[in-house]
Amino acid sequence: SKNDSFSSLKKLTNVFKLPSQNPPISSRNTAKLQRKKNGRLLAILGDESWHILSVISECRVVPRYAVHKLLLLFCCFEHAQAFLEALQHSHETCGAISNMYAMLLARFKMFPEVKEKGMSSVPRLVAFTSEHSHFSIKKGAAALGIGTESVICIKVDESGKMIPADLERRIVEAKQKGFVPFFVSATAGTTVYGAFDPLIAISDVCKKYNVWMHVDGAWGGSLLMSRRHRWKLDGVDRANSVTWNPHKMMSVPLQCSALLVREEGLMQNCNQMHACYLFQQDKHYDLSYDTGDKALQCGRHVDIFKLWLMWRAKGTIGFEAQIDKCLELSEYLYNKIKDREGYEMVFDGKPQHTNVCFWYLPPGIRYMEDKEERKKHLHKVAPVIKARMMEYGTTMVSYQPQGDKVNFFRMVISNPAATFEDIDFLIEEIERLGQDL
């Protein structure tokens, strides 16, 4: 029974004593102790597939109740029957695959005949996303036969946010050429800048031209857990679909990704093949538990169980504190370096997420008058310092170019066990390793 399942899980969680917060170890050592403790339990319960109810243990029904908490959190869907479609098959749905699913559903919604007749039965489709969006949008278009040339990149402002006026202009242009706009992917927390696209304005454009609105919140969706920061996702409730990765900011063990879909039953209709040897319609239990026919993949782990377990251990308040701490640390880093000699911020203003993007200018190039020569030398600084970081084993920070900007550091904080002292160390270490460049 359900009560027995809850009782069994309660005993297990008490035995393993899952921590309510990450252990106090340095971010330089990549804190993963909590994941290891979770893994002891998940190793016992994690090697089962959730494609039909009859092949899973009784306690695997419990994570379904986490779905309803997620819907309340996102407040995305107006009807009580609406449900989270893809956490039930999140073994394969990293954020990239969740985004592809959203594109698949948008195409099926507009042209359901494509399921049987293929791309030759539909007109030239075009999708839209920002210049700073994740590469998975184009990858999904390639995998679905839509083609990367059919993904139109929309201009962003200085802080990396999509410009709604340019989106509307490009939609109108596409329609004038005879193309059919079918999908817009806005981003809540871009990979590099951590920018949040203006979802309300974008949803207005999508509604005006009857285009599916998707929100890639793989990185930034977890800010909905924070009462202090959730305003950055205002308008997410208007989306047709939302991608969200609990294995990022919430530190749920890999992998655990969600795709929320507004329309109940759409994923089932899009993907089901009615295999009678698995999905019989005369079973003795609620057939909604047989989730395998919704997905492209049949057998998969029940990755939502990890989220449910962590939610039980931390609580919503615990997750909120974890996320607020990471954003507090990023703001501390920004305030420390924005006016510090030898540092330049990549864009003006405080970062919206934990992404802090900056250049470190070693003494040897700070006062170069030739801008092109200075730019050429600066491009080489971040790769050398990162290589030295890895050689010494003290810390590691990502770097990349962006558009016409040369290589810069992108410090992303997702470990709440990090401290202000860790941030101070990072700054001093960058300066120590780059002073001779």
Side-chain angles (χ1 to χ4, degrees), residues 55-331:
V55 300
I56 64 175
S57 60
E58 192 175 49
C59 66
R60 286 315 187 88
V61 178
V62 175
R64 183 169 180 174
Y65 294 92
V67 167
H68 301 289
K69 288 180 69 68
L70 289 170
L71 290 172
L72 290 172
L73 174 67
F74 273 83
C75 298
C76 272
F77 307 124
E78 298 171 356
H79 307 292
Q81 294 84 3
F83 55 94
L84 185 146
E85 293 263 20
L87 261 177
Q88 297 170 343
H89 59 268
S90 58
H91 168 71
E92 65 171 347
T93 50
C94 61
I97 301 301
S98 293
N99 288 339
M100 187 186 75
Y101 265 105
M103 189 176 288
L104 176 71
L105 295 175
R107 183 179 65 178
F108 177 78
K109 176 67 176 177
M110 186 171 285
F111 296 102
E113 63 271 23
V114 74
K115 179 178 178 180
E116 296 180 353
K117 298 179 180 179
M119 287 296 293
S120 62
S121 66
V122 301
R124 171 73 181 275
L125 303 178
V126 287
F128 305 83
T129 192
S130 88
E131 295 174 334
H132 286 195
S133 65
H134 195 263
F135 69 86
S136 60
I137 305 302
K138 286 190 174 181
K139 182 173 282 190
L144 295 175
I146 295 166
T148 59
E149 290 185 357
S150 295
V151 178
I152 298 173
C153 292
I154 306 303
K155 293 179 180 178
V156 298
D157 62 19
E158 183 62 27
S159 63
K161 300 177 184 179
M162 183 192 293
I163 301 174
D166 190 55
L167 171 63
E168 182 168 16
R169 180 181 69 83
R170 299 304 296 273
I171 288 177
V172 171
E173 282 183 358
K175 291 171 69 71
Q176 290 173 345
K177 293 177 181 178
F179 302 154
V180 178
F182 82 107
F183 181 80
V184 171
S185 179
T187 309
T190 57
T191 305
V192 179
Y193 282 13
F196 289 78
D197 288 340
L199 302 182
I200 293 176
I202 291 170
S203 69
D204 289 341
V205 175
C206 291
K207 183 177 181 180
K208 181 177 180 179
Y209 295 98
N210 194 29
V211 181
W212 180 287
M213 178 185 171
H214 174 65
V215 175
D216 177 5
W219 175 226
S222 295
L223 267 62
L224 284 171
M225 285 281 187
S226 168
R227 286 167 290 185
R228 188 184 307 169
H229 297 284
R230 63 175 54 151
W231 63 269
K232 297 169 186 176
L233 287 101
D234 284 351
V236 71
D237 55 304
R238 300 187 181 188
N240 297 99
S241 56
V242 180
T243 290
W244 171 53
N245 282 6
H247 67 230
K248 294 188 186 298
M249 279 294 288
M250 293 170 68
S251 302
V252 175
L254 283 167
Q255 53 196 23
C256 187
S257 177
L259 176 66
L260 288 87
V261 181
R262 175 181 290 277
E263 183 174 335
E264 181 181 5
L266 183 62
M267 181 170 280
Q268 186 85 26
N269 294 333
C270 180
N271 293 319
Q272 66 183 353
M273 291 296 158
H274 305 286
C276 62
Y277 50 85
L278 282 178
F279 307 111
Q280 302 92 337
Q281 298 303 297
D282 54 357
K283 294 179 179 178
H284 65 283
Y285 56 79
D286 182 354
L287 296 180
S288 67
Y289 285 100
D290 287 356
T291 62
D293 216 13
K294 292 180 183 179
L296 299 180
Q297 180 182 356
C298 185
R300 60 198 179 275
H301 291 298
V302 193
D303 289 328
I304 190 175
F305 182 76
K306 295 176 289 189
L307 173 60
W308 180 88
L309 202 61
M310 287 189 69
W311 211 330
R312 176 180 174 83
K314 287 176 174 286
T316 303
I317 299 299
F319 276 130
E320 179 181 39
Q322 173 177 324
I323 289 162
D324 286 348
K325 173 70 178 302
C326 291
L327 279 123
E328 183 182 8
L329 289 169
S330 66
E331 186 172 353

Side-chain angles (χ1 to χ4, degrees), residues 334-406:
Y334 167 74
N335 289 329
K336 287 279 288 189
I337 66 174
K338 65 177 182 177
D339 297 318
R340 188 182 181 99
E341 184 180 9
Y343 290 86
E344 288 184 12
M345 306 310 298
V346 173
F347 57 89
D348 294 333
K350 184 172 67 174
Q352 283 202 57
H353 207 342
T354 68
N355 308 44
V356 183
C357 301
F358 61 92
W359 288 285
Y360 172 67
L361 286 72
I365 67 172
R366 282 176 202 172
Y367 307 108
M368 283 186 177
E369 295 183 1
D370 188 325
K371 291 184 179 180
E372 287 303 315
E373 189 68 15
R374 181 177 182 267
K375 190 175 180 179
K376 181 180 177 181
H377 280 77
L378 184 57
H379 186 64
K380 300 176 182 179
V381 170
V384 172
I385 292 179
K386 180 174 181 178
R388 292 177 177 179
M389 288 176 176
M390 297 180 71
E391 181 180 348
Y392 281 97
T394 53
T395 188
M396 187 166 66
V397 182
S398 181
Y399 73 87
Q400 68 285 299
Q402 180 75 56
D404 61 350
K405 294 177 170 62
V406 299

